[in-house]
Amino acid sequence: MASERPAPVRRPWWADDLAHAAMFLTRLPVPAPVRTDRPLMHAGWAFPLIGLLTGTLGGGVLWLGASAGLPMLAAALGALAVTAFLTGALHEDGLADLADGFGGGATKERKIEIMRDSRVGSYGVLALVLATGLKAAALANIAIASPILAAFAFAAAQILGRSAILPIAFFLAPATSSGLGTGAGRPKAVTTGLCVALGTLLAFSLLPGIGFIAALAATSLAILATALLAQRQIGGYTGDVLGSSEQVVECFVLLTLSALPAGAAGFLWPL
């Protein structure tokens, strides 16, 4: 008698999308999505949830380090190291490639060629050093006022950073006919709207009041700056543009929050 075939795996569409997003944006062991033909961007509504996961884990490390008596800067660097490990430095790699391409290429074709090169140049190294230093300094400054506030701010920045990816992919066109940016597909309007709404709601739950308004303003400015720069430099987006947008948003959000007066009323729920 022929052996019976195992029953096909059944999973709710939202769980499949979440698995797809987690498998791409992190290095965590997650079950593979059942629908392998569904483009990544169609599951992009779940990106803010991945940001919540990485931000919570990284923020927890920051809070634990600060509570254990570590220097605030060391605790902040620990949080950044944890999230880079969880994501395989995916977004940092995009930032480095974008800096090398935009800084070293004279034409659109040359910029894209440099961005596709796996080697990191001087512009890329400088971009990573500046981004890491700025984020660590901002987190340390917030943590001086309250380590738990810094942990919440970090989680919100991670959420908003990943929420920025879909709007750029929706409003810009792919800069090339191949590569990750094109292969991931174009997000639908409803998917983009859901991603932005979910990211906004999650950020508000962590940063109500003036902190929430400041973070949203910083996110909007970072998205606009990244989109305009990419359009001017290469006429659209690539996977590196989308990845770097997450890092740019994180920097803008954390720097903005760190500039608010310590303990400002409404920055966070009373602690």
Side-chain angles (χ1 to χ4, degrees), residues 31-106:
V34 176
R35 290 190 57 185
T36 57
D37 61 332
R38 184 167 169 79
L40 174 64
M41 286 300 172
H42 291 186
W45 66 268
F47 286 3
L49 294 176
I50 306 303
L52 176 62
L53 173 62
T54 59
T56 299
L57 294 174
V61 169
L62 190 156
W63 178 77
L64 287 173
S67 300
L70 291 179
M72 297 304 177
L73 185 57
L77 287 170
L80 295 173
V82 166
T83 53
F85 174 78
L86 290 173
T87 62
L90 176 67
H91 307 295
E92 288 83 356
D93 181 68
L95 177 63
D97 287 342
L98 180 138
D100 280 334
F102 287 7

Side-chain angles (χ1 to χ4, degrees), residues 95-184:
L95 177 63
D97 287 342
L98 180 138
D100 280 334
F102 287 7
T107 64
K108 169 185 173 180
E109 292 72 21
R110 179 56 180 158
K111 293 176 192 292
I112 293 176
E113 180 184 354
I114 293 174
M115 290 164 69
R116 287 177 171 174
D117 192 330
S118 60
R119 293 171 294 182
V120 179
S122 56
Y123 286 107
V125 171
L126 182 60
L128 290 176
V129 170
L130 288 175
T132 303
L134 289 173
K135 288 187 290 183
L139 282 170
N141 189 53
I142 300 172
I144 291 173
S146 169
I148 191 65
L149 187 151
F152 281 18
F154 183 61
Q158 291 269 312
I159 291 166
L160 292 171
R162 284 154 183 81
S163 302
I165 294 175
L166 257 67
I168 292 177
F170 179 76
F171 287 106
L172 295 185
T176 67
S177 59
S178 61
L180 179 60
T182 303

Side-chain angles (χ1 to χ4, degrees), residues 162-248:
R162 284 154 183 81
S163 302
I165 294 175
L166 257 67
I168 292 177
F170 179 76
F171 287 106
L172 295 185
T176 67
S177 59
S178 61
L180 179 60
T182 303
R186 299 292 301 278
K188 299 178 180 179
V190 64
T191 309
T192 304
L194 182 56
C195 172
V196 172
L198 182 57
T200 302
L201 179 62
L202 290 173
F204 176 74
S205 69
L206 295 167
L207 298 171
I210 190 174
F212 170 71
I213 297 172
L216 278 193
T219 301
S220 301
L221 182 60
I223 291 174
L224 180 61
T226 304
L228 290 176
L229 180 64
Q231 184 64 33
R232 179 177 180 179
Q233 291 284 328
I234 58 175
Y237 73 88
T238 64
D240 288 327
V241 170
L242 299 181
S244 63
S245 69
E246 192 279 336
Q247 290 289 292
V248 175

